[in-house]
Amino acid sequence: HGPTPRQVPGGKVITTGELRKLMEREPRPYVIDVLGGGVHRTIPGAFWMPGSGPGDMSKDEEERFAKAIAAFAGGDKGRAMVFFCVDNECWLSYNAALRAIAMGYTNVMWYRGGIAAWRAAGNRMAQSDPFFW
């Protein structure tokens, strides 16, 4: 936990307003919460993938992540995906976004402000439900 970059190489950093607009469109982007730990309040409709954001994943964990992301994308490397974590000092979502970009996904977004920014803007919250990947 500490200051994160303001950009993600090969991806796009989005704001709360941009995420809200994206979530109103069809097809909706896959919004992926990578926060570790226990059940928490998160963005409604987000897939919670605990353990998918460490910078030092094992080969098996990376393969599981790749399979989960491929399932979301349905074979479409241009499918919009948004990764987020707790706040702008959480590296987990940055790591997950970089990992997806390295796998060839071309429409990867990083919601740097995460849950804290979503909540601060007065948006509705939901209880996380782990996506078993």
Side-chain angles (χ1 to χ4, degrees):
H1 212 80
T4 56
R6 298 225 178 249
Q7 302 297 321
V8 60
K12 180 181 178 190
V13 177
I14 61 170
T15 65
T16 302
E18 289 170 321
L19 177 57
R20 206 174 17 244
K21 286 177 186 173
L22 285 168
M23 292 176 69
E24 292 169 356
R25 294 185 191 161
E26 288 296 329
R28 264 185 65 170
Y30 283 101
V31 181
I32 304 166
D33 178 346
V34 299
L35 183 62
V39 173
H40 57 278
R41 303 295 286 167
T42 192
I43 297 171
F47 291 94
W48 179 33
M49 292 177 55
S52 62
D56 60 349
M57 291 175 87
S58 72
K59 186 165 178 64
D60 288 343
E61 289 169 323
E62 283 193 21
E63 287 175 8
R64 280 189 19 222
F65 178 82
K67 286 179 185 175
I69 297 303
F72 285 138
D76 179 3
K77 293 271 188 170
R79 179 66 192 223
M81 293 181 201
V82 178
F83 294 92
F84 71 95
C85 191
V86 69
D87 61 22
N88 63 5
E89 291 195 348
C90 180
W91 285 83
L92 298 175
S93 53
Y94 178 80
N95 294 337
L98 284 180
R99 193 168 283 118
I101 292 163
M103 292 175 184
Y105 292 92
T106 59
N107 198 2
V108 175
M109 290 165 267
W110 176 36
Y111 179 42
R112 185 174 177 264
I115 294 167
W118 187 260
R119 181 181 295 126
N123 292 304
R124 193 169 63 83
M125 303 290 293
Q127 181 171 315
S128 59
D129 186 19
F131 173 78
F132 293 101
W133 56 287

